[in-house]
Amino acid sequence: MPIDTDLAWAAQLLREGELVAIPTETVYGLAANAFDAEAVLKVFEAKQRPAFDPLIVHVHSAVQAAAVAALEQAAPELRTQAEALMDRFWPGPLTLVLPKTPRIPDLVTSGLDTVAVRMPDHPVTLALLHMLPFPLAAPSANPFGYVSPTTAQHVADQLGGKVPYILDGGPCTVGVESTIIGWEATVEQWVLYRHGGLPLEEVEAVIGGVGRASKRVLPASPGMLDSHYAPLRPLLIGSVPVLAGELAGKRFGVISFRNRHVAHRCEVLSPGGDLAEAARNLFAAMRRLDQGAVDVILAEHFPEEGLGRAINDRLMRAAAKRG
Ligand code: AMP
Ligand code: MG
């Protein structure tokens, strides 16, 4: 299995236009040279990702972000706010959607004139980025639509045969994908494309209220797809005792926040009631239940605040698979 910690080898593969799975604080990414359309095409093929789903470009600094996002051409207010966000939250789980530079191939952005960019907070991947003369386009390293990987082994389990090398940086410390906001030129406002690892409250403390992207305003933001991040087993959300009562005879697994429930298998994400810990454990728990001998997965609603919003968002999209 090609899982190891050899940075020089990973850098060489990327320079040759190959794919490498990389650790980040959110989830593992499947990376390619963001300036090389041929390399990026391999990402779409390995993931079986539809070409309408744009990738996030990973950079090692705000300076490198300027090669990706054309901030100098942006309205002064947008530029000031984007720089304030980078300054405050990078490296970290905040992705900014900004006007793109011509260096970024259309394939990366699915033909949009905006690009998603972020600086990951992981020492291994930051060191790798510093070794390379280009940024890395990287979506989550999982087959399209399935639960995202939070360990190197998760990547190997699903994409092992399709990725030449998996750079192991240990388990992800945040555990859910980045929060994505973007400047929506038509409404001249920042809008939210996806709840994620940085609580929206923290973003709003810096730039004020963030609007909600409607599917009409946004032609192509598959992070907004109803069904995504989904296990293979059906998943139902609500009161666990009530749902369990309706499932006579079925074997069910449970995803709960703090309390243990009577079930074939119960995954308690944070006995101490810490939403960040719960987010970190969410995807691994979903995978374990998906692989275990259960017919259905039941999940509680999490508190709709901080990282609880990202957790509820992922659970709802996992549940939408059934429809
Ligand atoms: P992933 O890296 O797998 O979490 O997916 C990246 C997500 O970023 C996509 O599914 C989109 O929802 C979002 N995204 C990337 N680029 C853009 C863009 N230019 N405009 C809006 N959303 C974007
Ligand atoms: Mg993904």
Side-chain angles (χ1 to χ4, degrees):
M1 201 61 81
I3 305 182
D4 217 326
T5 57
D6 187 344
L7 272 173
W9 179 233
Q12 185 178 329
L13 286 167
L14 289 163
R15 278 191 219 102
E16 288 169 1
E18 291 300 331
L19 303 182
V20 173
I22 56 167
T24 81
E25 81 281 30
T26 59
V27 303
Y28 272 71
L30 186 58
N33 177 351
F35 292 153
D36 178 352
E38 249 176 76
V40 170
L41 184 59
K42 294 179 186 170
V43 173
F44 284 88
E45 286 168 357
K47 276 187 64 107
Q48 297 190 312
R49 184 176 176 109
F52 63 73
D53 193 357
L55 309 184
I56 294 173
V57 177
H58 293 69
V59 296
H60 59 58
S61 59
V63 171
Q64 191 178 37
V68 175
L71 265 186
E72 71 288 352
Q73 290 160 29
E77 188 202 356
L78 160 61
R79 185 177 175 169
T80 309
Q81 290 189 328
E83 284 169 355
L85 290 167
M86 291 178 193
D87 203 44
R88 174 78 179 78
F89 297 118
W90 282 8
L94 177 67
T95 297
L96 301 177
V97 174
L98 297 167
K100 85 175 195 73
T101 63
R103 289 200 75 177
I104 297 296
D106 284 341
L107 186 60
V108 171
T109 65
S110 303
L112 298 171
D113 53 12
T114 54
V115 63
V117 60
R118 99 174 176 99
M119 177 177 170
D121 188 12
H122 196 291
V124 170
T125 287
L126 285 175
L128 178 67
L129 283 163
H130 277 288
M131 294 165 72
L132 297 168
F134 46 78
L136 293 172
S140 52
N142 53 302
F144 182 71
Y146 192 68
V147 181
S148 296
T150 53
T151 66
Q153 189 59 48
H154 290 165
V155 182
D157 289 346
Q158 289 192 301
L159 294 179
K162 296 178 175 169
V163 187
Y165 197 63
I166 301 168
L167 194 53
D168 193 349
C172 300
T173 53
V174 172
V176 290
E177 298 84 350
S178 57
T179 300
I180 306 180
I181 63 164
W183 180 256
E184 191 59 57
T186 50
V187 289
E188 295 204 334
Q189 201 196 354
W190 289 98
V191 297
L192 175 73
Y193 294 138
R194 176 172 79 188
H195 279 295
L198 182 68
L200 191 63
E201 295 91 327
E202 293 194 36
V203 177
E204 293 189 320
V206 175
I207 55 167
V210 170
R212 295 296 181 275
S214 79
K215 287 179 191 173
R216 261 175 302 120
V217 173
L218 194 72
S221 189
M224 299 174 74
L225 288 176
D226 289 339
S227 169
H228 212 66
Y229 314 111
L232 301 173
R233 305 254 186 276
L235 187 145
L236 304 172
I237 309 171
S239 156
V240 168
V242 170
L243 291 171
E246 293 166 1
L247 286 174
K250 288 208 169 157
R251 293 153 69 94
F252 58 90
V254 170
I255 295 177
S256 108
F257 183 19
R258 336 176 42 144
N259 300 317
R260 187 151 291 286
H261 294 271
V262 178
H264 182 68
R265 180 154 192 172
C266 183
E267 297 278 353
V268 180
L269 299 190
S270 176
D274 174 1
L275 286 168
E277 181 183 36
R280 185 155 60 237
N281 291 329
L282 174 67
F283 285 146
M286 266 193 202
R287 276 171 193 264
R288 281 191 295 270
L289 292 178
D290 213 18
Q291 285 154 13
V294 300
D295 304 313
V296 185
I297 300 171
L298 307 183
E300 289 180 344
H301 260 300
F302 282 65
E304 191 60 25
E305 63 187 25
L307 287 174
R309 291 156 119 182
I311 295 172
N312 285 333
D313 171 86
R314 302 305 183 271
L315 289 172
M316 261 156 1
R317 277 188 271 199
K321 184 105 175 179
R322 302 177 63 244

